[in-house]
Amino acid sequence: MRCPYWKTQDGFEMQFGVNHLGHFLLTNLLLDMLERSQPSRIINVSSLAHTRGKIRFDDLQSEQEYSPGPAYAQSKLANVLFTRELSKRLDDTDVLVTAVHPGLVKTELARHTSFAKSKIASLTLAPIAWVFFKSVRQGAQTAVHCAVADDIESGLYYSDCKAKEPAEQGKDDRAAKQLWEVSADLVDLEKTI
């Protein structure tokens, strides 16, 4: 989350590679098994940060311009778009696909943010901020809910155990399809499967 610019071992911008391409490839590698095991569910951990995201097809790897916040938001928007497209592709199956926002959770995930690095913030604001953060158990509740509840609808975005409207850019079917095609090409999906 909001890390400095660096690349995965496979050469992808770290946030896009870990937060999106990793989900994308793993899910596709497991898809045959998930379809054979119906009913089954796929839960992609996204974030409210997707609302600030923009898929920059002309610079997905942030090689021309990198900023930690926008790169993170793009990767989380990619989770929402991936969920949307995968759900359409699995429409005639009993495999449900959801994207979830766990909330602000007390973890070390934000260790690269200026807030986490600031001594003043850690001494003055952090104790107050932690009151508003969820515990790890609380943060997991929406994902658990989507894994077991009977009223889950495929292709939706969930937060606080309820379906919520994603940002407008998270409902762009054309972008979702294009992202799928670009992602499949980036991870050599046809060669892998």
Side-chain angles (χ1 to χ4, degrees):
M1 176 183 175
R2 300 177 63 101
C3 58
Y5 183 81
W6 87 85
K7 293 186 175 186
T8 67
Q9 187 175 3
D10 296 314
F12 303 118
E13 184 275 316
M14 186 61 70
Q15 295 184 99
F16 188 72
V18 170
N19 294 340
H20 168 62
L21 291 175
H23 288 62
F24 178 84
L25 180 59
L26 178 62
T27 301
N28 275 285
L29 292 174
L30 296 173
L31 211 46
D32 286 342
M33 183 185 65
L34 289 163
E35 289 184 83
R36 284 192 311 270
S37 304
Q38 293 179 60
S40 54
R41 298 185 186 200
I42 300 164
I43 298 145
N44 294 310
V45 179
S46 184
S47 168
L48 184 61
H50 87 276
T51 61
R52 295 186 308 278
K54 179 179 186 291
I55 301 294
R56 298 180 315 149
F57 286 107
D58 61 335
D59 191 23
L60 278 175
Q61 302 298 320
S62 301
E63 293 173 326
Q64 297 168 23
E65 178 184 339
Y66 182 75
S67 182
Y72 178 72
Q74 173 182 251
S75 74
K76 291 305 175 177
L77 174 58
N79 295 142
V80 173
L81 292 170
F82 168 52
T83 298
R84 189 173 185 86
E85 180 65 18
L86 182 58
S87 177
K88 287 180 183 215
R89 290 172 183 251
L90 295 172
D91 191 41
D92 60 344
T93 70
D94 196 10
V95 180
L96 295 177
V97 188
T98 58
V100 301
H101 168 57
L104 294 173
V105 183
K106 296 176 193 173
T107 67
E108 294 297 317
L109 185 63
R111 66 188 171 278
H112 295 292
T113 63
S114 56
F115 181 83
K117 291 179 179 182
S118 167
K119 293 211 185 274
I120 293 171
S122 66
L123 293 172
T124 58
L125 299 176
I128 298 167
W130 284 110
V131 171
F132 299 101
F133 281 47
K134 293 179 178 181
S135 69
V136 172
R137 182 183 179 114
Q138 291 167 326
Q141 293 308 302
T142 301
V144 170
H145 177 78
C146 287
V148 300
D150 293 331
D151 62 343
I152 299 303
E153 292 183 53
S154 194
L156 299 185
Y157 171 78
Y158 285 80
S159 179
D160 294 322
C161 299
K162 295 181 184 89
K164 303 279 172 88
E165 277 294 308
E168 281 304 310
Q169 63 270 33
K171 298 186 275 188
D172 185 337
D173 290 330
R174 190 174 329 142
K177 185 172 189 214
Q178 183 179 357
L179 180 63
W180 181 286
E181 292 164 359
V182 169
S183 300
D185 192 47
L186 286 171
V187 300
D188 290 325
L189 190 60
E190 294 303 317
K191 293 178 187 173
T192 308
I193 294 180

